[in-house]
Amino acid sequence: MSSQYDLLVYGNLVLPDGVLYDSAIGVKDGKIVSISQQNPDGITADKVIHAEGSFVLPGAVDAHVHCYSSLDEGFTTASTSAAAGGVTTIIEMPYDATGMVCTLEMFEEKRLRLEQESLVDMAMLVTIHKEDGYEHIRELAAAGACGFKVSMFNTDSFRFPRIDDGQLLDSFAVIAETGCPVGVHAENDEIVRRYINKYRDDGSDPRSHGLSRPKVSESVAALTVMELAYETGVKLHLYHCTYPRIFQLAEYFRSLGAKITAETCTHYLTLSEEDMPRLGAKGKINPPLRSKSDVEGLWDLAAKGAIDMITSDHAPWLLERKSDADIFNNSSGAPGVEHLLPVIYSEGVAKGRISLTEMVRLLSQRPADVFGLGHRKGRLAVGYDADLAIIDPSVAWTLDERELHSSAGWSAYEGMQMQGKLTHTLVRGAVVYEAGAVVGQPGYGQFVSAEHRA
């Protein structure tokens, strides 16, 4: 006799509207088919996970991951890190070491590579040409891209270029027709260039990186693209916002009818500019770490529902790219996809800064909804993919970078005291991480085609 379920998971289920204690999820063919408050009697399953006393969450959807900025990383390594951190869906950035993903041919080649290499599911962002390329926008949206990513700062003319304001205006109008969101790295190029030159001779002090990218360089850029979004009607997403004023400005533009969402990142909630002398280049991130008061201000906004999502901005540079005595000569970014859920649970939920349901909204539900994956991902609900992350809240532990899975081999959170331990990660009902070991296999992960409405 065949079992009624492929999998039955017992535990405290974190649903969109609250926690259902001492309950069970039934899984069949990779989908959630039942959620019951009492342990179901007479139900058979091929596999049972007893997680009584633990929290069963929807897997995190990390909406800001650079798998191929460093060719040492790639989909297999990044997705292994994701599995070990409770991230069941990665939203992959289009800025690869080999160039920008901005044509249908490049998109399809990368999608095929993804499905051969990844342990977890992935959606893909794309970018635009520095000039024209409007038919590519329409083709890429039709192919299932979950959104577009552009930068107002010229990080790298080849793979991560600045798009000027006129091109943004024209492109936003075309992207608006597709219903896709367009996400922006918002830093004013002229201000940053000028201030890098201003502080260039002080590169031996790691804090000079933050001084070279003042808050106003971020807010001026954000205001520009929000005005363009208001004009064109495009769905705008602001990446890696570092301090509260950006979210307050976003709320103002939403009050005018603009379609604006905004994120912050793990590091802006846990680290500050005061950590730069200790971290050195490991803390060099664009935009930079801000003040301790900004950190607390972001937590306050998160608790009030004023932040749409928290992401990792995973950028796994090897230590050799982070070892120069001059802060300006080092690469910007840090590994983070494996930290996202554990750190936000420990620093947010365990410390009483945000609720469990708010964390699920920030890490799972809103990222899925904003990027067109909400038909399958981001919730514990019947009919959704059985993407689960299970956390035992009773376990205290210390983060050890030697145990992490990224090619980077280091962590800005080394030695952090943690509360709550991830015990299982499941993607579409299959266990990919269990009892401290990654057990998923490359090639299991699927490309998730986005569904958007204009």
Side-chain angles (χ1 to χ4, degrees), residues 1-2 10 19 43 54 126 160 203 229 238 246 251 267 287 306 308 329 331 338 368 371 382 390 418 420 440:
M1 178 183 290
S2 62
Y10 294 105
V19 182
I43 297 296
S54 292
V126 291
F160 205 161
L238 296 172
I246 306 299
E251 179 57 35
H267 35 273
D308 287 283
N329 293 338
S331 295
E338 193 167 341
F371 289 98
V382 171
I390 302 176
M418 306 286 286

Side-chain angles (χ1 to χ4, degrees), residues 285-332:
I285 297 163
N286 297 341
L289 302 175
R290 303 297 187 191
S291 70
K292 280 191 172 181
S293 63
D294 290 323
V295 172
E296 293 308 315
L298 290 175
W299 280 117
D300 290 343
L301 289 175
K304 295 172 184 174
I307 292 174
D308 287 283
M309 65 189 79
I310 301 170
T311 69
S312 73
D313 194 2
H314 179 72
W317 300 114
L318 298 180
L319 273 177
E320 64 194 49
R321 302 284 295 270
K322 290 283 193 176
S323 300
D324 199 292
D326 187 329
I327 192 68
F328 293 107
N329 293 338
N330 294 280
S331 295
S332 295

Side-chain angles (χ1 to χ4, degrees), residues 80-81 83-86 338 390 392 395 397 400 402-405 421-425 431-440:
T80 299
S81 299
E338 193 167 341
I390 302 176
D392 183 342
V395 178
W397 56 289
D400 185 344
R402 296 170 298 180
E403 297 175 355
L404 300 174
H405 297 80
K421 184 77 169 176
L422 184 80
T423 61
H424 298 75
T425 305
V431 176
V432 295
Y433 174 83
E434 184 174 23
V438 176
V439 296

Side-chain angles (χ1 to χ4, degrees), residues 219-232:
S219 58
V220 165
L223 281 166
T224 297
V225 287
M226 285 193 282
E227 189 70 16
L228 295 178
Y230 176 79
E231 177 69 20
T232 60

